[in-house]
């Protein structure tokens, strides 16, 4: 068996705001890293050699520890996926659009059928388009308003720089690369006009361009002046407006282009106000706007189409503290909103004419809901999704006028699944400051709290993203082997309103880590597990969470699972050249100018707080093409753990040299990483495979 790679250690130090810190593995950041995002082959040979050595060591050590368990788990995971799964067709004018998979296929096939019946037409075949690419992501397929063409956004590297092709849906002819170096979301103006967002030299989406497909001429219609703001573009469901949304993490602004008017330039609906957001939808003669202006948990207002500031905003749904309005969809005769109260979602339907409201809620202790807006605004059909940790996803159509509900699809688990075989519980943990933290628990129904079960605790806690209590077929390879699976709804998300996000951000970020530890201790207190038998698992910003709690309480964990982890937080938030750094200062704080922010981040940054103590086994992933969490964060953290930790527990660092932040995107390829992580988890927790 190979020995773990030993990284070169330099005596590099960084002085910042009169504070000096060591950074012995700073050399792992290739000065040419931006080029390596596009072509990983140009990575500095010394760095690439080290990463390949880590990858090879991880593969060899995993096989030695777990034998053929990853292959068996991969087969289990595949067996839970319906081979030819398809979505429920979504109508739009004369057509209904959907996607499906062919048996054994890795990528979706986007299709349509005549709405009144007829043969299927393949719009885009993802499998065919992926042939010959080491990495492939079919990010978006947007059909034109006249249904004659479709714009296809693709990434063949993993660096999230998308190229757009246009496919003629009558002839099948394709025009490749009509747009390059853009974000995946494109919007049709007229049938021959595309809007897209271009990335700048720092890989930040900051400019909206309009492309005339006939002439090939591009026109810049909007440029965001603030490097901390990101831009997106879409088309209103009414079809009348192109909507440009620009925002950082706590402020937003909307610009619109009226496709029925003579002015091709965008118009601002309301100027940006620090720490306030608004999101607008067009409905007939008005805007329907969800905003937290004077409403921390958001309210819904209306405004005239020609409004240019908030003086004409009129309350439609007033602010109710503690009830978070997550999203809204304006249908012709109804307004639908998705809201959350105490970590449970509900859908509320409002009749435009009468103002009457009714709620759609469900009986399980924890569940997830999602609204699928569809293509058409003037419809009486609401499509929504329901699932829980034990209940596969169900797709319903509900008549907005009568309330009649039809089950259109239930997720099929070919290898078999009975929700009655499992129990879902929603409990609360108490944080050190007295805050009540929601905790969702899934386990086999025949499992009793003996105080010694293995457990997995998953957490995220950032960007206001609330962890849904939804169904994932992948967790049952663990749960069926007696593992208790839990989700910690820690601060930094919005499960308990915007306050929940605010109290996990900036100077309050340590609350997120304390909440997670409290959830682990609650699992122990309830008798489900014990210290040393809990896997802590997080991805991206969730990797920051598990890296921090691994340093703070290494005794609690049986294994640390960190996928593409944001673990070099202090250095990353001090590097203005990185794509996400200026945009994320409102969330984490700016340690280049703010001493208090520096001290807070320095206090939890996983790389900067590794100690000479025993750590549990560690499983880490990274992608060389990742522009969100760069590969060197994980590489530096792993090197420092190897240097300082006082135990012999293994660290497996799986580096994907052909992918980015989301790893392999193939339907079954993705499961190989899931299977490897699960096999290592079962080994570390002492569970028979």
């Amino acid at each position: 068996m190979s020995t773990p790679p030993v990284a070169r250690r330099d005596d590099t130090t960084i002085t910042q705001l009169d504070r000096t810190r060591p950074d012995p593995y700073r050399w792992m950041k290739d000065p040419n890293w931006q080029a390596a995002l596009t072509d990983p082959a140009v990575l500095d040979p010394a760095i690439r050699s080290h990463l390949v050595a880590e990858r090879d060591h991880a593969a060899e050590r995993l096989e030695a520890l777990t034998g053929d368990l990853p292959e068996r788990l991969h087969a289990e995971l595949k067996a839970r996926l319906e081979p030819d799964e398809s979505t429920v067709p979504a109508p739009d004018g004369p057509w209904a659009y959907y996607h499906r998979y062919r048996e054994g296929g890795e990528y979706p096939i986007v299709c349509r059928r005549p709405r009144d019946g007829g043969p299927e037409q393949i719009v885009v075949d993802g499998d065919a388009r992926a042939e010959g690419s080491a990495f492939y992501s079919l990010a978006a397929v947007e059909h034109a308003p006249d249904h004659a063409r479709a714009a296809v956004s693709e990434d063949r590297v993993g660096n999230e720089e998308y190229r757009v092709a246009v496919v003629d849906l009558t002839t099948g002819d394709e025009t490749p690369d009509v747009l390059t170096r853009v974000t995946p979301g494109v919007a049709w103006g007229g049938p021959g006009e595309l809007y897209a967002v271009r990335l700048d030299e720092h890989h930040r989406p900051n400019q909206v361009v309009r492309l005339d497909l006939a002439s090939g001429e591009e026109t810049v219609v909007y440029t965001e002046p603030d490097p901390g703001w990101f831009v997106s573009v879409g088309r209103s469901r009414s079809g009348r407006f192109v909507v440009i949304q620009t925002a950082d993490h706590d402020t937003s602004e909307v610009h619109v282009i009226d496709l029925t008017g003579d002015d091709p330039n965008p118009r601002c609906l309301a100027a940006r106000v620090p720490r306030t957001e608004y999101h607008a939808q067009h409905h007939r003669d008005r805007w329907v706007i969800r905003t937290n202006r004077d409403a921390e948990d958001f309210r819904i207002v209306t405004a005239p189409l020609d409004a240019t500031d908030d003086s004409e905003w009129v309350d439609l749904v007033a602010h109710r503290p503690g009830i978070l309005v997550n999203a809204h969809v304006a249908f012709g005769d109804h307004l639908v909103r998705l809201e959350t109260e105490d970590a449970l979602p509900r859908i509320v339907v409002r009749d435009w004419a009468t103002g009457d409201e009714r709620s759609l809620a469900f009986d399980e202790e924890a569940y997830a809901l999602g609204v699928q807006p569809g293509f058409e605004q003037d419809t009486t059909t609401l499509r929504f999704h329901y699932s829980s940790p034990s209940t596969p996803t169900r797709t319903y159509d509900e008549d907005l006028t009568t309330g009649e509900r039809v089950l259109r699809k239930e997720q099929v688990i070919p290898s078999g699944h009975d929700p009655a075989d499992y129990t879902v519980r929603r409990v609360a943990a108490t944080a050190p400051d007295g805050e009540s933290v929601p905790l969702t628990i899934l386990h086999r129904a025949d499992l009793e709290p003996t105080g010694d079960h293995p457990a997995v605790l998953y957490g995220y806690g950032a960007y206001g993203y609330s962890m849904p209590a939804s169904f994932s077929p992948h967790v049952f390879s663990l749960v069926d082997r007696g593992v208790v699976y839990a989700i910690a709804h820690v601060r930094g998300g919005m499960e308990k309103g915007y306050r929940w996000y605010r109290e996990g951000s900036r100077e309050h970020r340590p609350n997120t880590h304390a909440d997670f530890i409290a959830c682990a201790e609650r699992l122990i207190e309830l008798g489900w597990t014990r210290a040393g038998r809990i896997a802590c698992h997080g991805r991206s910003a969730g990797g920051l969470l598990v890296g921090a709690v691994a340093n703070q309480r290494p005794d609690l964990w049986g294994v640390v699972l960190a996928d593409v982890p944001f673990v070099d937080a202090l250095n990353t938030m001090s590097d203005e050249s990185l794509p996400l750094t200026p945009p994320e200062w409102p969330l984490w704080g700016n340690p280049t100018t703010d001493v208090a922010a520096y001290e807070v981040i320095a206090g939890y940054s996983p790389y900067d707080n590794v100690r000479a103590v025993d750590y549990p086994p560690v499983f880490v992933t990274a992608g060389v093409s990742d522009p969100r969490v760069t590969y060197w964060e994980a590489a530096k953290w792993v090197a420092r753990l190897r240097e300082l930790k006082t135990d012999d527990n293994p660290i497996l660092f799986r580096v994907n040299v052909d992918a980015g932040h989301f790893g392999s995107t193939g339907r079954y390829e993705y499961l190989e990483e899931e299977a490897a992580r699960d096999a290592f988890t079962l080994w570390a927790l002492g569970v028979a495979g």
Side-chain angles (χ1 to χ4, degrees), residues 418-461:
D418 184 351
D421 291 340
Y422 307 93
T423 298
V424 176
R425 302 172 186 268
R426 170 60 62 79
V427 299
T430 302
D433 63 357
E435 187 64 69
S436 177
V437 184
L439 176 64
T440 301
I441 303 172
L442 168 70
H443 60 81
R444 281 195 336 234
D446 62 357
L447 214 62
E448 297 294 334
T450 64
D452 196 42
H453 297 303
V456 172
L457 182 62
Y458 187 86
Y460 188 71

Side-chain angles (χ1 to χ4, degrees), residues 524-542:
I524 296 170
E525 180 184 312
L526 291 171
W528 289 114
T529 190
R530 61 173 170 81
R533 290 215 84 190
I534 307 171
C536 59
H537 184 197
R539 180 180 181 85
S540 193

Side-chain angles (χ1 to χ4, degrees), residues 15-246:
T15 300
Q16 183 175 333
L17 298 180
D18 297 324
R19 287 153 175 77
T20 299
R21 64 183 185 273
D23 192 2
Y25 303 105
R26 191 174 184 82
W27 63 270
M28 292 185 179
K29 177 188 175 183
D30 191 336
N32 198 33
W33 64 269
Q34 287 182 312
L37 288 179
T38 302
D39 182 6
V42 306
L43 198 66
D44 178 275
I47 298 172
R48 186 176 182 85
S49 176
H50 177 73
L51 297 179
V52 169
E54 285 282 13
R55 181 196 65 186
D56 293 346
H57 172 73
E60 183 178 347
R61 192 72 193 273
L62 182 67
E63 182 178 6
L65 294 173
T66 65
D68 68 347
L69 182 56
E71 289 76 20
R72 289 188 283 119
L73 289 172
H74 188 226
E76 283 183 23
L77 294 170
K78 288 175 64 176
R80 293 193 186 97
L81 297 183
E82 187 177 7
D84 57 350
E85 183 181 7
S86 63
T87 60
V88 180
D92 187 18
W95 296 92
Y97 291 82
Y98 59 99
H99 72 258
R100 62 176 175 83
Y101 291 90
R102 61 169 54 88
E103 188 166 350
E106 292 281 1
Y107 300 97
I109 304 167
V110 180
C111 309
R112 67 180 185 179
R113 291 183 185 275
R115 188 169 185 163
D116 55 1
E120 174 184 271
Q121 178 185 356
I122 293 178
V123 176
V124 171
D125 186 332
D127 286 327
R129 300 182 75 88
E131 287 183 7
S133 297
F135 175 91
Y136 181 76
S137 173
L138 178 60
V141 178
E142 297 286 347
H143 60 268
D146 63 356
H147 305 275
R149 291 187 277 191
V152 183
S153 299
E154 301 168 295
D155 175 9
R156 296 181 181 273
V157 179
N159 63 350
E160 300 179 52
E161 290 183 11
Y162 294 88
R163 311 174 81 89
V164 178
V166 171
V167 178
D168 187 305
L169 298 183
T170 301
T171 66
D173 294 340
E174 178 176 328
T175 306
D177 294 347
V178 298
L179 290 161
T180 59
R181 196 174 167 80
V182 295
T183 61
V186 297
W188 289 90
E193 188 178 66
L194 277 175
Y195 290 81
V197 179
R198 177 140 291 131
L199 300 168
D200 68 9
E201 66 274 14
H202 297 293
H203 208 275
R204 297 171 191 146
N206 78 323
Q207 193 174 74
V208 177
V209 296
R210 178 173 52 236
L211 172 67
D212 184 305
L213 289 171
S215 67
E217 181 182 356
E218 279 189 22
T219 305
V220 176
V221 299
Y222 178 83
T223 300
E224 173 52 52
D226 190 326
W229 283 51
F230 280 4
V231 180
S232 62
V233 68
R235 181 183 169 109
S236 66
R237 289 172 65 251
S238 67
R240 179 172 169 178
F241 293 92
V242 169
V243 180
I244 299 168
Q245 182 96 34
T246 183

